[in-house]
Amino acid sequence: MNEGEQTGLATMRDCWITGGATFDLAPTAWKTIAGRASPDEQERRLLAIAAQALDVALRPAAPKTLKRRPPLPRLALPMLPERLRPLLRAALKHAADARRKTRVVTLVASRGFVLHPMDWMPVASDQNSPDVYAPWIDWQASLDGERHAPQEKLTAENWDEFYPTARRIALADMRRSEPASARILVEAKASGEPAEVRLALVELMRFGLNPEDAPFLKSLSADRSGKVRELAGRLLARLGEDGRSNDGGPDDPAAELAAFISEGKSGFIRRRSIYTPAKLKSPAQEKRRAELFETCNLVDLAARFGATEPEFIGAWQFGADNNADILIARMVAASGSDAAVTHMADALVADGGKPALFVLHLTPRLDSRRKRALVRLILKQANYLNSINLAEGIDAGWLEWDDLSNGSALAALRSSVAGNDDAMRRGADDILETIGFLATAITAAKLIDEVVAAGMPPAAPSLSVLRLNAALAEHQSKTDT
Amino acid sequence: MLPPGAILVDDRGTGWWQAADDPQGIALPISGAVNQTLLGLDLAATAALWNGARLDLLAAQSGFGRLDLS
């Protein structure tokens, strides 16, 4: 129907609205159909034709370039049972941000299920979801859908046939089992990739990092990207090697940072070194010290004092300057050797108290056992229970009832729930959400009973993750504890 | 009730329902924004309301089970 016909039809419609006859206004072809009848029948026939014309001829025409997305891949785990989806949606709704939603997704994956794609989908840039979602992340990122994630092992020849996330996960797996093969692949392929991808590939070297990686990491000191050079330097530092060229000189940042630290002696018989943050005189000094902690490597700083990394960390006086403690913890996490990281974590967790919370900065570098020990300590102490929400990369579904009931955590939670302090209640809500992720199904069910008995409404949204966890009980996978 | 089909998008991002066995045939425009995940799903059957100009999706059956689209 062209514009003239549409205008004519509008005129006919206006005429009907005002009660007039439209036969004379109708197109010639319509008059042929309606013309042999009585005037009333003519109008009825024209009305029928006009209605059809409006319904069919004015329907938007589909453009010729309609695009179809490739089919959403099936994942390796079964879909969450339909009956549990309302609980899941409640838990996702209560999860305030992407990090918390990812925890819900991780909990479900730990019990052997994936989510329905209409309930949750990872975004294209997602790097925190369980590996089982890699096909969906690549589906989100793909525009053409021409590549298909192959089932065979990643090689230099089939490199381009892998979607980025599938490739990243394959490389991470390879780094754990065959680190040298993975390094050779990264070495061969990274240089041809843009800086952002190179950075992500080099970042994978942290898995199974070993001294054989040092020559490749040193070669990256000539990389075009400053971020890649910095990352390679950090990884080299973890190996106890210095990737910098200006060590020892007056412009060495490690020397400048060392000036912010006082060395003293402790003990009457066996005098041993201790390191304490120097008193700062201005915010500018504070800012400069923070910058230096971020850019320097632990091995270089320890070397300034003639100490090994574990010796330096062991002699650091935690508790003297909270900001400096946070900065050194971050430095250890970023550039400390594995020995330094585990030494710091073990020592602080063994000593307990507030300094143990600095270990939260190390969790990305800690093994599962140490992370669990830290969580158990936080629950046992209960003074800083809210800090449990800061723990990153912890496994889902392992926290036993004894871990909660042996310390003060349960009593503190009950007290917060039963009290009238809104801030304490909100804090308890957050803790319950985190424990909902960490707990076994049995622990989750018991904890729901406890806090409901303490006065929390049974349908409270803050119980949603615990309820989902408990409902997944019969499907609990055989993970380690 | 619509037969097997899929949701496609045009250059402006508008969603269209199209029958699976008739890619050159009728396509019905969908009212409102379309969930991007739907674009990757084959719809075995779709329940929708046609308002004379646009399709309001209500529910569909897919390989991932029943979809509530209302």
Side-chain angles (χ1 to χ4, degrees), chain B residues 1-2 7 17 28-30 45-51 54-60 69:
Chain B
M1 284 296 294
L2 297 169
I7 309 296
W17 176 91
L28 303 174
I30 296 167
T46 303
L49 281 176
W50 177 249
N51 67 8
R54 294 280 188 278
L55 204 58
D56 286 311
L57 300 177
L58 298 177
L69 306 174

Side-chain angles (χ1 to χ4, degrees), chain A residues 54-55 59-63 65-74 79 82 85 116-118 121 136 139, chain B residues 6 8-11 16 26-27 29 35-42 50 52-54 63-64 66-67 69:
Chain A
L54 284 168
D55 210 23
R59 189 174 65 218
T65 55
L66 283 180
K67 278 180 274 186
R68 175 96 201 262
R69 292 289 309 272
L72 185 68
R74 288 268 175 193
M79 201 73 66
E82 189 69 27
R85 285 181 62 194
H116 192 286
M118 296 298 280
M121 275 291 281
W136 283 5
W139 183 84
Chain B
L8 297 83
V9 283
D10 61 23
D11 291 337
W16 297 74
I26 194 168
N35 183 322
Q36 294 296 300
T37 304
L38 266 182
L39 305 179
L41 305 182
D42 285 319
W50 177 249
R54 294 280 188 278
F64 288 90
R66 199 182 77 82
L67 311 176
L69 306 174

